[in-house]
Amino acid sequence: MVSGPSGQTDLRTPWQNLDLTFSGGQRPLTIFLRTQNMSDIPADLRFAESHEWARLEADGTVTVGISDHAQEALGDVVFVELTEVGTVFAAGDQSGVVESVKAASDIYSPVAGEVIAINEELSANPELLNSDPYGAWIFKLKPSNAGDLDKLLDAAGYKAAIGE
């Protein structure tokens, strides 16, 4: 933490500031820019263009959640509509809803398969999707075809897709 010129606390990471002084101005203008680097997007995950992430687990199951980019765009998450265990999805099927103070957004299954677990903790604590987007999973499934993961974006591809 760095104390700024006006006594404000400035957290330099992941924010960086750019000081601009305009001629004739009374005081400098400070603009804070949000920066995100590749390390903020876990390399072990695959991503759908609809912003869901998928992680292949050692037991062959796939864990699904929403990306940091998605939760940031949604704002404070206040409700998560979870699917049911046993539901079978094709890749791209609507599999739930995340509601925030700003909007509601559908969640899509990034790969085909049968739901084997849902994160019930999200019912009582939906804000976990904001505080830990890559730790707070939404559901797990047994994939119909593990090759579906290869059709998703890797971390570098997702970073390019979201313009970072």
Side-chain angles (χ1 to χ4, degrees):
M1 274 195 264
V2 177
S3 183
S6 62
Q8 299 165 321
T9 301
D10 175 10
L11 301 174
R12 298 278 171 148
T13 307
W15 297 85
Q16 295 181 354
N17 66 350
L18 173 63
D19 290 317
L20 301 174
T21 304
F22 297 97
S23 62
Q26 295 293 321
R27 49 187 235 214
L29 170 67
T30 301
I31 299 172
F32 290 91
L33 302 173
R34 172 80 190 237
T35 61
Q36 183 164 353
N37 53 36
M38 191 65 166
S39 64
D40 294 332
I41 301 175
D44 65 327
L45 301 180
R46 305 293 283 193
F47 295 87
E49 290 187 16
S50 53
H51 308 291
E52 294 81 15
W53 57 260
R55 179 176 49 238
L56 181 62
E57 305 294 350
D59 64 0
T61 62
V62 174
T63 302
V64 177
I66 63 168
S67 71
D68 185 46
H69 179 81
Q71 71 78 25
E72 191 173 298
L74 281 168
D76 294 337
V77 175
V78 295
F79 178 76
V80 180
E81 179 185 300
L82 298 167
T83 188
E84 294 182 12
V85 172
T87 304
V88 176
F89 293 117
D93 280 357
Q94 195 261 343
S95 57
V97 177
V98 174
E99 292 183 18
S100 72
V101 295
K102 290 189 205 177
S105 181
D106 289 334
I107 304 166
Y108 300 95
S109 183
V111 297
E114 179 183 351
V115 176
I116 58 169
I118 57 172
N119 187 351
E120 304 244 3
E121 189 176 2
L122 293 177
S123 294
N125 301 298
E127 68 278 0
L128 291 172
L129 292 177
N130 294 116
S131 62
D132 188 12
Y134 297 119
W137 55 278
I138 299 172
F139 63 92
K140 296 182 181 200
L141 50 80
K142 179 180 177 184
S144 302
N145 178 2
D148 282 352
L149 285 169
D150 295 334
K151 298 174 185 172
L152 300 175
L153 300 169
D154 62 10
Y158 184 66
K159 182 178 178 180
I162 61 175
E164 295 188 9

